Amino acid sequence: MSLQNKSVEVHRKESMLRNMRFNRYLLLRYSLALFFFANMYWLMISFIKLSLFACLPVAVIALTSLASAEQFRLYSSEKVVLRWTQVAFQVQLVVQILLLVLVAFGQMTRLFPVFANNTNALAFVFILVSLGTLLCVLDLRRIELILRNEDRAYQRYQQLVKTI
């Protein structure tokens, strides 16, 4: 095998390992994107009827942006640093729970002025916020597994490292 072919093979293996490592964070990246756009939508509809509740999506969007930047840095790093990602999901979880409580106490039209104050809209918002809460819990669980190197993606990564 020529020197150039060896170099290409080494680069291919390094790239494969880097991508495999980065795939550990796939659920987190998709969740961050989902929450970023959901909060952006919430912020835009908050302009219909301004209230102090508009501060909530602004804060979460800022944290989600920091977490997304952290995710991009993970591609070139072997060190697992999920500080901003974990904080973003913790704050998002608190906001989700707060939304559930506020919607349950009749504040839905102040939070989401585009929805009518009826049973169907209440059920729709309650289900969406509940699903968001569940996703936050799953993401925080995933972060804990990643930090302890107990996630399945890390186990597959270790198997690949052994075979290469």
Side-chain angles (χ1 to χ4, degrees), residues 10 12-13 28 36 44 55 57 60-61 72-73 75 87-88 117 120 125 127 130 132 149:
V10 167
R12 187 184 68 78
K13 288 178 182 178
L28 303 178
F36 176 83
M44 287 188 302
C55 297
V60 179
I61 288 168
F72 284 118
R73 284 192 300 273
Y75 185 72
V87 168
N117 196 11
N120 290 338
V125 169
I127 289 170
S130 297
N149 289 329

Side-chain angles (χ1 to χ4, degrees), residues 84-149:
W84 286 111
T85 304
Q86 191 168 25
V87 168
F89 285 122
Q90 288 168 340
V91 169
Q92 183 72 51
L93 179 62
V94 169
V95 168
Q96 295 293 119
I97 292 169
L98 180 65
L99 288 174
L100 286 172
V101 170
L102 290 171
V103 167
F105 284 104
Q107 298 298 314
M108 188 178 75
T109 55
R110 291 186 66 200
L111 292 164
F112 308 107
V114 295
F115 290 110
N117 196 11
N118 62 40
T119 308
N120 290 338
L122 181 67
F124 177 74
V125 169
F126 197 80
I127 289 170
L128 276 181
V129 175
S130 297
L131 289 173
T133 304
L134 178 63
L135 184 58
C136 284
V137 170
L138 290 173
D139 287 329
L140 288 169
R141 167 103 172 102
R142 178 71 175 217
I143 289 171
E144 289 302 318
L145 290 173
I146 289 171
L147 291 175
R148 292 191 314 256
N149 289 329

Side-chain angles (χ1 to χ4, degrees), residues 2-4 15 18-21 23 34 36 38 45 54 60 72 91 93 106 112 122-123 129-130 138-139 153 161 163:
S2 72
L3 184 60
Q4 184 180 14
S15 180
R18 187 179 320 113
N19 288 334
M20 190 86 152
R21 246 189 349 263
N23 283 341
L34 175 75
F36 176 83
I45 64 173
V60 179
F72 284 118
V91 169
L93 179 62
F112 308 107
L122 181 67
V129 175
S130 297
L138 290 173
D139 287 329
V161 168
T163 60

